[in-house]
Amino acid sequence: MAEVSSRALQMVDLVGQYRAIRAEILAAIEEVLESGQFIRGPIVAAFEQELAAYLGCRFALGVGNGTDALQLAFMTLGLRPGDEVIVPAFTFVATAEAAALLGIRPVFADIDPRTFNLDPASVEARLSPRTRAIVPVHLFGQAAELTPLLALAERHHLYVIEDNAQAIGATYRGQKTGTFGHIGCLSFFPSKNLGAYGDGGAVLTNDPALHERLSMLANHGARRKYYHELIGINSRLDALQAAILRIKLRHLEAYTQARQEAADRYDALLADCPGLTLPYRAPERTHVFHQYTIRVHPEVPGGRDGLQRYLKQQGIPTAVYYPVPLHQLPAFADFGPHDRLPEAEKAAREVLALPMHTELTSEQQRYITDAIRTYVETALRTGRPPTS
Ligand SMILES: Cc1ncc(COP(=O)(O)O)c(C=O)c1O
């Protein structure tokens, strides 16, 4: 039985998820093909409205991907070369890359070791007269500590851009993430909680003026075709992706629940396993478990990398999000020198994301957690990583 489970194991099962909604998806695709309207148009507009309604914000604008969403946010708020934005050092590269591409300096702050999200004290310590914005990332599906970050931003007249790529549907004090800041950014990369069948993203705002400027900048700086007022970019959600996302949005609450139930099962199965720290669920937040990320303590012989290798031999895929904190990446060297950030550096050495998706079964999870337990318990008892 374990053999069967291990063979079927994947970090994300996009095909399994598709098969369950195949008829709906194919009908939606057919509708787009028959409409002949592939860029923007009524299907994209309908998705934008449904997305905004789901999140509880005034405006959602579909764009090409989550990285463009961030770039458009910086452009829309008028950030310029030499300005500084404070971003967590422990996130996907795009959070800082989108700023750096515009000549904006990403200033890296450390994280709260429990949530992996921005530590407000570390942000405050990095404010300078050039700071223009704070970019909280709701990493792995759980909201950052928004109240102190928003207060800090207000006190220092800074913009807040939420990188909500990993946390669609998560809440903080009952409100959906992505709707707190001046602009929120979403990614519909296929493996995201709301994933397209290609690239896609969205920007969110409650401000009509920002929405108008975002719309222009995403469409060559024009309000009206061929009458360009600004230098913009070409970043639009296409109608096929919007049609697919409309279907999947209707299932999103069920998908989120499936992830949360899978996370609860991992918690229970690993509860008394030594040498690990399981995901922390911060108060007043709902975690949507884009990833289920554990920490492997350095005392475990072989450490995180040893466990990952062992699991791979058992047919269990895992992933390290992220092995190098951004302040240590060569790509950002020109924006340095960067401070050492001990918690981000420690997290990069210890984290391991387990398979997490809407189709994960308890049988598969038992197989995964039995293997983790065997490794950790054997390694701690014998002082050596076990060989398979
Ligand atoms: C935290 C974070 N920010 C930004 C992005 C960029 O999104 P995209 O891949 O759609 O450009 C991603 C995902 O890829 C992400 O995880």
Side-chain angles (χ1 to χ4, degrees):
M1 194 155 66
E3 263 270 307
V4 173
S5 306
S6 71
R7 239 187 283 127
L9 274 172
Q10 301 173 64
M11 276 304 281
V12 180
D13 182 5
L14 296 179
V15 175
Q17 191 190 60
Y18 160 66
R19 286 189 182 141
I21 54 170
R22 186 170 180 273
E24 288 172 87
I25 293 285
L26 294 181
I29 289 176
E30 175 82 20
E31 190 188 334
V32 176
L33 298 183
E34 286 294 337
S35 79
Q37 183 132 22
F38 300 112
I39 302 284
R40 301 211 57 79
I43 292 174
V44 175
F47 170 64
E48 289 171 340
Q49 270 173 23
E50 288 158 10
L51 180 65
Y54 169 75
L55 293 167
C57 64
R58 283 188 70 188
F59 305 102
L61 176 79
V63 298
N65 55 65
T67 310
D68 283 1
L70 288 156
Q71 184 181 331
L72 284 161
F74 295 128
M75 290 169 73
T76 297
L77 294 170
L79 272 62
R80 308 191 63 78
D83 287 344
E84 293 180 357
V85 296
I86 302 187
V87 301
F90 193 63
T91 174
F92 181 59
V93 67
T95 316
E97 182 188 36
L101 193 67
L102 298 169
I104 301 161
R105 180 172 181 239
V107 173
F108 298 109
D110 213 349
I111 54 164
D112 176 334
R114 293 168 309 172
T115 61
F116 302 108
N117 283 327
L118 264 184
D119 170 7
S122 180
V123 173
E124 187 157 18
R126 283 167 180 79
L127 294 173
S128 89
R130 302 191 141 203
T131 311
R132 300 286 312 281
I134 302 173
V135 189
V137 180
H138 307 305
L139 203 71
F140 303 147
Q142 181 166 237
E145 192 65 87
L146 282 166
T147 301
L149 291 171
L150 292 166
L152 202 61
E154 193 164 328
R155 224 168 31 250
H156 295 274
H157 310 289
L158 305 174
Y159 293 118
V160 174
I161 299 163
E162 291 175 78
D163 182 342
N164 197 33
Q166 300 190 6
I168 187 166
T171 61
Y172 181 87
R173 298 189 172 162
Q175 183 179 335
K176 295 240 170 51
T177 53
T179 66
F180 287 83
H182 296 87
I183 297 177
C185 300
L186 285 174
S187 163
F188 305 126
F189 185 80
S191 61
K192 293 290 191 272
N193 288 27
L194 179 63
Y197 295 152
D199 272 314
V203 278
L204 315 167
T205 186
N206 285 313
D207 182 330
L210 288 181
H211 176 246
E212 185 170 27
R213 204 171 141 80
L214 283 163
S215 309
M216 288 170 69
L217 286 168
N219 197 17
H220 298 293
R223 227 183 292 252
R224 195 150 64 97
K225 216 171 180 182
Y226 307 124
Y227 292 82
H228 305 274
E229 297 168 50
L230 303 166
I231 297 295
I233 61 174
N234 172 10
S235 185
R236 301 171 298 218
L237 185 68
D238 69 67
L240 278 171
Q241 299 307 335
I244 290 158
L245 289 165
R246 283 184 82 191
I247 303 295
K248 292 182 85 177
L249 183 59
R250 291 176 205 148
H251 294 276
L252 184 59
E253 285 296 292
Y255 290 159
T256 300
Q257 202 184 331
R259 288 174 178 276
Q260 289 167 335
E261 284 168 9
D264 290 346
R265 290 196 297 266
Y266 271 138
D267 280 358
L269 289 161
L270 291 170
D272 55 352
C273 185
L276 305 178
T277 301
L278 305 184
Y280 172 70
R281 288 131 181 270
E284 301 184 291
R285 270 161 265 198
T286 51
H287 196 320
V288 295
F289 285 99
H290 177 56
Q291 300 297 343
Y292 186 92
T293 301
I294 62 172
R295 280 182 189 257
V296 183
H297 300 175
E299 304 81 69
V300 176
R304 187 267 315 276
D305 294 345
L307 174 59
Q308 185 174 38
R309 269 194 302 274
Y310 177 82
L311 294 176
K312 192 173 174 203
Q313 286 159 5
Q314 313 301 314
I316 301 170
T318 56
V320 176
Y321 307 117
Y322 297 92
V324 187
L326 302 194
H327 64 293
Q328 296 184 325
L329 284 174
F332 298 111
D334 286 351
F335 291 94
H338 303 296
D339 297 337
R340 293 301 300 267
L341 300 168
E343 292 299 345
E345 291 168 29
K346 191 162 185 282
R349 289 191 298 272
E350 294 184 0
V351 290
L352 191 66
L354 307 184
M356 169 53 80
H357 54 81
T358 55
E359 315 304 305
L360 199 61
T361 65
S362 29
E363 186 205 27
Q364 291 174 321
Q365 288 185 279
R366 190 155 299 114
Y367 178 75
I368 294 164
T369 52
D370 281 352
I372 293 173
R373 211 177 260 285
T374 301
Y375 178 93
V376 175
E377 286 172 359
T378 311
L380 285 170
R381 196 179 60 250
T382 64
R384 279 185 291 116
T387 48
S388 62

